[in-house]
Amino acid sequence: MRICKSKMSGMPKPPCPKFISLEDGEFTTKSTSNGFKFRLVSYNILAQVYVKSSYFPHSPSSCLKWKARSQAILMEFKNLSADFLCIQELDEYNSFYKSNMESLGYSSLYIQRTGQKRDGCGIFYRSSSAELILMEEIHYNDLVNGIDYENVPTEIESNNTLDVDRREEASGKDSTKANSHGDQGDPNDPCVRLKRDCVGLLMAFKLRDPSNHLIVVANTHIYWDPNWADVKLAQVKYLRRRVSQFKEIVSNKFCSTPSVIIAGDFNSTPGDEVYQYLVSANSDSEAPAIQLCSLYATNGGEPPFTNCTPDFTGTLDYIFLSDPGYLKPVSLLEVPGPQSADIIGGLPNHYHPSDHLPIGADFVVLGSSNSLIIPELQDVEDRLSKFEIGEQMKVQNN
């Protein structure tokens, strides 16, 4: 792990990220592979609104201050050199990140959580690498509108039915966020229970490569509480359904089947029902089938952890792929192990500005299901082609 020192202050900067080739185990950069290549990273950056010394007593107070953290996060974004950044717990978007990322060549979209929450999800993308062609927002509070009160599922009726003993510890910031759920009404009321103010983004892009391949990028942050696995499961079922529908819309509108990448903080460990549902072969009967696989799990295994505090250390962040036939992951972002010097003592620290670690990969486009065709233009091209053939035949006959 390379640690970069600041010449001005002597304070350590975040470790320089390493992407390890899946073919030969060597370090790689974006320019080392044939074919159109792009990099996608997912990162929960820890919203400043949740940064208090009482939540992170193990962290040096100097690294919790906004001035230091904002610059450290911006430097990490720059060092990651991603074409797509899926960011969770994003706040200070309009006041800081939007303009600073624009100066680095990124366009972006942001969705803030509903209610009184001040953070949200954002996707930053390089306009030189991709063109945004379609987007939708996901508000998980919309689940409330679909409640059948005469046939409420058991897992929504009670908060003691699923996973009540899993991941009992939660970081101080998450425990404080909930405020024992008492500020939002009776947690046994399905309407109250499902209204967690969580959000996500769906964005479709046309890659700037010769094949004009389309990709759908989804970014989300699932509810945190380990004892409310029923709510998390409801959210990922809704996510999977929305992604399936969005993929169909993109396919029909642009006459090309997109690859799908779903990234985010799912607040669930690999053994949880939420994770198992996402990677299972079964999908909801009312939605078009979409099969998912975990990027890291299918390429050596999930990281030992992506969230690291004294109260809890485990894997919560994932990148899922669907129909990866036209995309080939060629390298993975290295995640530090438990013995890494920059991790000891818990996060955040001077090396890592968040309590989460970024994950990501480089992908190579192998082809496209179809060239991007706009029907009206194709009709014009067909008629021109027939006209040219006719003219050539006239010349030959003469």
Side-chain angles (χ1 to χ4, degrees), residues 101-112:
M101 293 299 285
E102 284 175 351
S103 68
L104 297 177
Y106 289 91
S107 299
S108 60
L109 285 178
Y110 170 69
I111 177 173
Q112 185 171 329

Side-chain angles (χ1 to χ4, degrees), residues 81-96:
S81 189
D83 299 286
F84 300 92
L85 282 163
C86 297
I87 306 301
Q88 306 89 44
E89 288 201 25
L90 177 62
D91 62 354
E92 306 295 342
Y93 172 74
N94 289 312
S95 63
F96 180 78

Side-chain angles (χ1 to χ4, degrees), residues 344-366:
I344 295 174
L347 307 180
N349 57 26
H350 287 300
Y351 302 110
H352 300 279
S354 173
D355 56 339
H356 287 249
L357 295 166
I359 56 175
D362 289 324
F363 296 89
V364 166
V365 179
L366 301 179

